[in-house]
Amino acid sequence: MARDRIMDDAQDLFSRGQQAYSSGDYQEAVECFSRAIKLRPEISSGYRYRAYAYLELGDRVRALNDLDQAIRLKPDDAPLYADRAAELYAQRAYDLAIADCTRALELDPGRADLYALRGRCHAGRGDSESALRDYAQAIAGDPENAPRYLLWRAELNLECDNFPAAKADCSAAINLDPNRPEAFHIRGTVQQQKGDLEGALLDFTEAIRLDSKHGLAYLGRAVCRFQRKEYREVVADCTSALSFFPKLVRGYELRGSALKHLGDFDGALADLNEAVRLAPAATMPYNYRAGVHYARRDYAAAIRDHMEALKRDPRHAGTFNQLAWLWATCPDPDVRNGERAKECATRACELSEWSEPGFLDSLAAACAECGEFDDAVTWQEKAIAKVTDPMRQADYESRLELYRQRKPTRVDGSID
């Protein structure tokens, strides 16, 4: 009789805990489940549902402890392993999560969502081959949720620079469900990286149409518009992105650079100061801010910022290149320093294995500043041989003519 009363009381507490959980009162749910567990510590469901409540309260340690106890009490329950795997994945404990997914799949081989989760874990630990294999299994086994799994695979293909596969996955997801903004966002990112700015703009715009609060789609569109030199539109898109993600460093970098091109140096400096504040250990905010200082003819401040960038990444080829260009071509003759320019340009070329035409262009300018015009011609010809953009090629050829006339470069403008 007493045992029956305990069972009834435990069931009543468990029911009250579920009601509290459903209504969003997670602390009350924890208290009810805890009292039920005291009465019936051998029942796994009390620990399982208390774990859910702990997760809602942000107490992930207690949640994982409860899932561990629930599995000890019910070691053949596939959903428990799936729940713990999801939490372990969230905590980036990928190896443990993979083990739980595998155990759950042994108990319930039809769980396509677990193949997808295990794929995400493999991707997180850098095992792309295993991840792709699991994603394929999930996509084939769960057509209803295939669009989501296709997008996870697209993200992995994008990270691996497999652009055709990433684009194909996004397009397949869009064909199955044309109302997923993330599919357009990822495909837009792929197309932007491939240089298809028009296609990328269309996709980012569609992502924004489907989700007007998609901050990263605004940022992606801003990147495209910056490359098209549509600076006012860049400012508008970055402002939208920052309204949703006010700590988005790239948003401040991009908007600051666009404002510089529009001649709003104070606004540009304010944005790039904020980027430096948010990411003091990063390299690029200092380089972008150096560009604003250069535009304001504060060359000493520009050099200081480039030097700060090198402190954060002593092997950043782009920073060496910008310093080389500044010292080789600065309008202020007191700032120019051919030897330092050549030293920095050479280092930039070494770090990029002599493959970047812009760095070769800077080395040619540095040699010209040192009066080494034969070397300047040689390096400029190598730069021209590697450049593909017609406008840059014309620019390089005009400098080549200067060097043939034994004249150094003078440019009133920094490298972006």
Side-chain angles (χ1 to χ4, degrees), residues 89-104:
Y89 168 76
Q91 297 189 26
R92 300 186 180 183
Y94 299 126
D95 289 336
L96 293 174
I98 288 169
D100 272 355
C101 287
T102 301
R103 177 59 179 149

Side-chain angles (χ1 to χ4, degrees), residues 324-325 328-329 341 345 357-384 395-411:
W325 187 256
T329 70
F359 299 173
L360 295 168
D361 176 45
S362 295
L363 180 55
C367 289
E369 180 62 25
C370 292
E372 301 166 0
F373 292 103
D374 290 341
D375 287 341
V377 168
T378 297
W379 292 119
Q380 196 66 18
E381 288 175 340
K382 290 180 182 295
I384 291 169
D395 195 30
Y396 287 8
E397 287 175 349
S398 68
R399 282 200 278 281
L400 176 61
E401 188 58 33
L402 282 177
Y403 305 149
R404 285 172 173 163
Q405 297 173 18
R406 310 190 74 77
K407 295 179 182 178
T409 301
R410 296 289 179 267
V411 178

Side-chain angles (χ1 to χ4, degrees), residues 57 98 115 122 126-127 154 181 185 220 284 290 327 331 351 355 380 382 407:
L57 291 170
I98 288 169
Y115 284 105
H122 283 308
D127 185 354
H185 170 242
M284 292 312 298
W327 274 320
L351 289 167
S355 63
Q380 196 66 18
K382 290 180 182 295
K407 295 179 182 178

Side-chain angles (χ1 to χ4, degrees), residues 18 140 193 228 252 281 302 329:
Q18 287 186 310
Q193 293 200 19
R228 289 159 59 104
Y252 291 105
T329 70

Side-chain angles (χ1 to χ4, degrees), residues 17-291:
Q18 287 186 310
Q19 291 172 0
Y21 182 89
S22 298
S23 65
D25 190 349
Y26 303 118
Q27 189 59 55
E28 176 65 17
V30 165
E31 292 175 7
C32 289
F33 291 136
S34 296
R35 291 165 63 191
I37 288 167
K38 284 183 179 179
L39 293 173
R40 298 292 306 277
E42 76 280 10
I43 303 299
S44 68
S45 56
Y47 296 97
R48 178 179 188 171
Y49 286 95
R50 188 172 69 176
Y52 296 162
Y54 276 137
L55 286 175
E56 295 292 344
L57 291 170
D59 193 339
R60 307 180 84 166
V61 173
R62 284 194 171 95
L64 206 52
N65 288 340
D66 272 353
L67 289 172
D68 290 344
Q69 181 61 18
I71 288 172
R72 279 192 287 269
L73 292 167
K74 202 172 182 181
D76 294 329
D77 189 322
L80 278 173
Y81 286 101
D83 289 341
R84 189 170 69 177
E87 179 53 26
L88 288 167
Y89 168 76
Q91 297 189 26
R92 300 186 180 183
Y94 299 126
D95 289 336
L96 293 174
I98 288 169
D100 272 355
C101 287
T102 301
R103 177 59 179 149
L105 285 167
E106 290 170 353
L107 296 166
D108 185 0
R111 288 283 300 269
D113 62 313
L114 286 174
Y115 284 105
L117 178 59
R118 192 171 68 179
R120 301 203 88 183
C121 295
H122 283 308
R125 64 191 295 272
D127 185 354
S128 300
E129 184 178 349
S130 296
L132 290 171
R133 187 166 53 246
D134 273 346
Y135 285 145
Q137 189 82 14
I139 291 163
D142 187 3
E144 184 177 351
N145 290 300
R148 184 197 318 169
Y149 306 148
L150 282 163
L151 292 184
W152 290 349
R153 191 170 70 178
E155 289 177 334
L156 176 59
N157 280 319
L158 178 58
E159 289 173 7
C160 296
D161 291 337
N162 190 346
F163 298 133
K167 184 177 179 180
D169 279 343
C170 291
S171 297
I174 290 167
N175 287 336
L176 292 170
D177 182 358
N179 295 313
R180 285 181 176 264
E182 195 56 26
F184 290 98
H185 170 242
I186 297 172
R187 192 172 71 176
T189 302
V190 171
Q191 298 192 123
Q192 187 267 324
Q193 293 200 19
K194 288 178 63 181
D196 181 4
L197 298 183
E198 192 63 35
L201 279 170
L202 290 173
D203 274 346
F204 287 134
T205 300
E206 182 62 13
I208 291 165
R209 187 189 70 79
L210 291 168
D211 179 5
S212 62
K213 296 182 179 180
H214 200 308
L216 294 180
Y218 283 106
L219 184 68
R221 192 168 70 176
V223 171
C224 293
R225 287 174 160 173
F226 191 91
Q227 291 177 268
R228 289 159 59 104
K229 300 184 179 181
E230 299 169 355
Y231 300 122
R232 294 190 187 281
E233 290 80 2
V234 172
V235 171
D237 275 346
C238 287
T239 300
S240 295
L242 289 167
S243 71
F244 303 115
F245 298 106
K247 294 184 179 181
L248 188 64
V249 173
R250 184 62 178 138
Y252 291 105
E253 290 177 343
L254 204 56
R255 189 173 69 178
S257 296
L259 289 169
K260 182 194 78 171
H261 282 284
L262 292 169
D264 183 358
F265 299 143
D266 289 340
L269 201 55
D271 270 350
L272 293 166
N273 284 341
E274 182 64 9
V276 168
R277 187 187 72 80
L278 289 169
T283 299
M284 292 312 298
Y286 291 95
N287 281 332
Y288 289 127
R289 192 170 68 179

